[in-house]
Amino acid sequence: MNRLISIWSCLDGFQRAGVLELADVHTASRVCRLGGETNENVLLATALTVRALRHGSVCLELDNFTDVNVDIDPIDAAALEWPSRDDLLDSLRRSPLVTGSPRGPLRPLVLVDSDAGPLLYLDRYYLQEDLIRNAIAERETTRPEIDTQEARTILAELFTDDGGLPSPAPDRQRVAAAVAVTEWTAIVAGGPGSGKTHTVARVLALLFRLNGPGLRVALAAPTGKAAATLTEAVAAQAVALGLPDGLVATTLHRLLGWRPGSTRFRHDARNRLPYDVIVIDETSMVSVTMMARLFEALSPKTRLILVGDPNQLTSVDTGAVLADLVARQADRELNAEAGEIAAADLAVTESVPSDVDAKVVEEPLDTNERISMSRGVVRLRRGRRFNDEIDQLADAVRRGDVDRALALLAAGTESIQLHAPGDVTAVRDVVASSGVQLIEAARDGDVPTALAALGEHRLLCAHRDGPYGQRRWADLAAEWVGDRWGRRLDKSEFYPGQPVLLTTNDYQARVFNGDIGVVVAIDGAITTAIERGQEPLLVSPYILAGVQTAYASTIHRSQGSQYRSVTVVLPEADSTLLTRQLLYTAVTRARDEVRIVATVEALAVAVQPEARRASGLRLALRRDAPSETPLGGIPDELA
């Protein structure tokens, strides 16, 4: 026992330096104790793997295992006693946690080689990734049979310009539809306003016309709010496209049949989902665990259409599955059927003249896009939601072009502005103005005007606490609005004009975690108005389980929302939260105006690094001792 205590104490320095947390140390110690492992290198590697999971990665990249960032740095992390890469690998290859031992078959660590170097997994996450990888590979061995001529004719009717004629080639939305109906697994990727839902609604219209009204379709999203938004977007196009009534999206948990108190779902490898087509929206928010559950429950002959923006923030849980699937390697020929349906779009090879509006006529598909088509991926490019300057800033951030992003912000136009952390005059004015608009409309019981005012401006923060956090800026905003209104806003009770964020799902009340609403006074009674397409949802705030004042939101919470104007508050330059995905997500919440409150140094840090979560999904993996788990599922004890 003294020997084990001595071994475990080797992690104390890493914990004091902020590299590891107590939970990382305890989990690694328990795993090593159960497996009879006493090697310090293996203990450290296990703790770092647990740490990687906590930060969203699926595995630990052993070529970069010393590259760690910490927000607090009482001890120089670089001065810690790191083992060499080769010594660490040698210890892992000998470890009973990887190879098994006479104690039993327990092998909680999986060591694999990849094109990006060796990767270390906890076994359950390797199995989840492996299930996804194998399921997609199996689904790619065949393609759905389809009448390509009829599909081509129907798509010409569904994708039209303002005059009702077929939209000019190339039209990536039409290409995406061609791929989606000719693959078992398809991905429609693109930024806000690029027409992802517009495309998906037309894919469904095409499939109903090809297969008849008996086609079984399921729509789902990772959150209740995203599911409600998808339902509204499809319903708004249903009559024009001839879609049947009743296409209502649900959460991914409800689709799979969540069972309280269990890590398993009602639908799995033994009880497949009973649908011909499944559409998953906001897929960037889906974790590797939930994606494994979905693929496990899919019938081989179910079309799966994944929709989302791979450049947005990823799941709050482990993995970045959408980005990985978009970027994954695939040795597969171009889909001949999709090529035939979208022949006119693929035939265009000449560049668009510089004086032609890129939002009307698109550039030809390049070689990389055609390769992506072979693995069922089409990325939509045309943004219709925000103005050109915001579009340019979002593109610079997406590409990691620091100089371009800084130049655009330095120009200081009405659309995009950079403010120093102490320069909040402009922010105070827009917050106070929009807040008073909200109060006036809400006191008058004018729900449409109140909801419009609610979408006028939003403060977005990287995290909840601290000087740059959502809580502090929400308090500041309430103070500014109260000053402009002429009376203090009482946070202890509901008041007309109070913006609220719902933090729990209530399916009976039809409200969901992440919904934003406003308290209004109607006929002397207080109620909450939540935007729901053409008909707002009205519900008493007193029956809602989780409600908080929402003058400011975290950027994570803002995904799927849109505002006329946003103010983005970034932390200091040494924060580990500053990532390209964070800033891109924040910028693309705005239609007309973006204000960024940050130092130039913090902005440059946010744009430059791409926060890629370590994963093997996009890589070719080689494992000496492959898992004996069949494709059909993940063992219950490892789930």
Side-chain angles (χ1 to χ4, degrees), residues 260-382:
S262 173
T263 60
R264 303 298 298 175
F265 292 91
R266 183 164 56 86
H267 291 290
D268 56 18
R270 295 174 290 275
N271 181 26
R272 306 282 190 174
L273 288 162
Y275 300 105
D276 302 307
V277 183
I278 296 176
V279 177
I280 307 296
D281 198 12
E282 297 289 356
T283 310
S284 64
M285 300 167 65
V286 179
S287 69
V288 67
T289 299
M290 282 303 298
M291 192 64 79
R293 295 282 184 261
L294 174 63
F295 274 103
E296 181 185 28
L298 278 180
S299 166
K301 301 303 182 183
T302 295
R303 281 186 176 88
L304 176 65
I305 304 172
L306 303 176
V307 186
D309 185 352
N311 298 115
Q312 279 191 187
L313 284 167
T314 52
S315 166
V316 295
D317 295 316
T318 303
V321 182
L322 180 65
D324 287 337
L325 294 182
V326 168
R328 71 187 176 94
Q329 302 175 2
D331 183 15
R332 198 164 179 242
E333 293 183 358
L334 180 66
N335 184 334
E337 290 78 13
E340 184 178 341
I341 295 170
D345 299 291
L346 299 178
V348 178
T349 57
E350 294 186 5
S351 296
V352 178
S354 58
D355 59 344
V356 175
D357 187 352
K359 291 189 176 182
V360 177
V361 180
E362 299 187 62
E363 284 289 328
L365 278 76
D366 60 29
T367 301
N368 288 333
E369 289 180 285
R370 292 168 188 261
I371 293 173
S372 294
M373 282 180 62
S374 69
R375 56 179 186 267
V377 178
V378 177
R379 187 190 290 266
L380 307 181
R381 289 188 178 182
R382 270 193 314 208

Side-chain angles (χ1 to χ4, degrees), residues 186-232:
I187 298 176
V188 181
S194 58
K196 297 186 293 294
T197 310
H198 176 92
T199 302
V200 166
R202 280 152 181 76
V203 171
L204 295 178
L206 170 60
L207 289 172
F208 273 111
R209 289 176 63 172
L210 289 174
N211 296 279
L215 189 73
R216 299 167 299 172
V217 174
L219 309 178
T223 67
K225 177 187 174 184
T229 301
L230 176 60
T231 299
E232 294 161 11

